[in-house]
Amino acid sequence: MKDAPAGINKHIGGAIAVCTSGGEAVPGYASWADDIVAIRAACNCGWRAAMDFPPDGVEQAEQLWRTMHMLPLCALGQEPFSERIGRDLVEQMLHFQHNLPFAEMSPLEGLRTAARMRQIADQSIDQLLALALRQNLPLRHVADALGTDPAVLQEGTGYPDHPGHP
């Protein structure tokens, strides 16, 4: 890890495709999909997993990247990029809210902005719920992250009590 870039925000990774030639490509972006023989966890800092997954193993490779590469970096006190981005977005939204009474905009423009932020937040929640389901995250953990009761989450979204067993 001494060769890793300083700061976790420099680490971008997940799954990459391994081709018969030994080359690597981002899955889904290759026109030569028949040439893909495996999926590998990788990071832009140069880290590569020691094991490969079958061509349909994108989720497993992404999970391996998180657990084998990112978690050790986080344990060193570096902040994950996704957490920093989330914190920054919340701070910007709080700044927006704090400045509403002083803003030199019409109430209608403020309402349009707030409505668009709500729409983006709802879309983000839908995407992250789908990701949580693919990763088999427990209902209780997902509900806690959303600040809601598991029964309410399950009723409102259909999120299963045991994601691995729908």
Side-chain angles (χ1 to χ4, degrees), residues 29-139:
Y29 292 98
S31 59
W32 28 265
D34 294 337
D35 193 35
I36 296 173
V37 295
I39 298 293
R40 179 177 298 149
C43 187
N44 69 331
C45 72
W47 176 88
R48 296 295 187 263
M51 64 179 288
D52 290 340
F53 294 94
D56 64 348
V58 171
E59 282 104 22
Q60 294 96 328
E62 290 173 349
Q63 181 67 26
L64 186 68
W65 172 74
R66 281 189 294 278
T67 58
M68 297 301 292
H69 184 59
M70 296 303 287
L71 283 179
L73 292 175
C74 293
L76 294 175
Q78 295 181 333
E79 182 181 33
F81 184 59
S82 59
E83 289 182 20
R84 183 177 60 82
I85 284 220
R87 187 190 69 241
D88 290 350
L89 285 172
V90 168
E91 287 176 7
Q92 289 174 8
M93 291 178 76
L94 289 171
H95 181 73
F96 171 79
Q97 183 182 33
H98 175 74
N99 286 303
L100 281 177
F102 310 107
E104 292 187 22
M105 67 172 102
S106 73
L108 295 178
E109 186 60 32
L111 287 168
R112 278 192 280 282
T113 302
R116 181 65 180 129
M117 288 189 315
R118 180 189 297 166
Q119 180 184 26
I120 292 168
D122 289 345
Q123 289 170 346
S124 298
I125 287 172
D126 291 345
Q127 290 172 351
L128 291 166
L129 279 172
L131 180 61
L133 187 59
R134 284 196 308 271
Q135 292 180 9
N136 294 323
L137 297 180
L139 174 66

